[in-house]
Amino acid sequence: MKSILVLNGPNLNLLGIREPEQYGSTTLADVEALCIEEGKRLGIEVSCLQSNHEGELVEAIHGAREGVLNGSCLGVVFNAGAYTHTSIALHDAIKGAEVPVIEVHISNVHARESFRHHSYLSPAAAGIIVGLGVDGYLLGINALVRRAGK
Ligand code: CA2
């Protein structure tokens, strides 16, 4: 069975617990369960990881490389949180590992503070989904599946 990694960055463990007006009331555990369910529907094994540490996120991207190279992994659905706007290390990891990444943001970052308008990840991403709430993760999973079928 093919696999997809759903990767979440800093503070996304607070999803559904704080700032529901910005990010909704769905918790990270809910999001992960929805992603696993969507994977089952599509015949894909979805694994999920959240980390508040940049280096762990870099290593998770590196870890997906082997599966992508041998065809068992379709890629990564990645919400890097605030590291989106700061991390050259994550840009380099995505480029270096040659892993297809769908960048996801729950909120419409372009309708928010200007410091959220720039993403270091977008130039390295296979695609970007912004502002569609937690549905963005499910759309990202579907995008990786459809992309692999081309
Ligand atoms: O909209 C998104 O998905 C973001 O990636 C979320 C990040 C933010 O820094 C990006 O600019 C956009 C923040 C994730 C933190 O999530 C929280 C959830 C509840 C309470 C506090 C933070």
Side-chain angles (χ1 to χ4, degrees), residues 30-49:
D30 294 334
V31 170
E32 292 181 345
L34 287 168
C35 289
I36 289 166
E37 204 49 47
E38 187 67 1
K40 282 188 184 147
R41 195 181 71 76
L42 295 164
I44 301 289
E45 186 182 356
V46 171
S47 59
C48 301
L49 180 71

Side-chain angles (χ1 to χ4, degrees), residues 10-12 14-19 23 79-82 84-85 104-109 112 116 137:
N11 297 310
L12 283 151
L14 299 176
L15 212 55
I17 299 168
R18 307 241 345 256
E19 297 186 38
Y23 301 114
N79 186 346
T84 303
H85 318 297
V104 170
H105 298 289
I106 298 165
S107 63
N108 179 358
V109 285
R112 299 182 64 192
R116 295 186 203 276
Y137 291 92

Side-chain angles (χ1 to χ4, degrees), residues 79-90:
N79 186 346
Y83 286 145
T84 303
H85 318 297
T86 63
S87 182
I88 297 168
L90 286 171

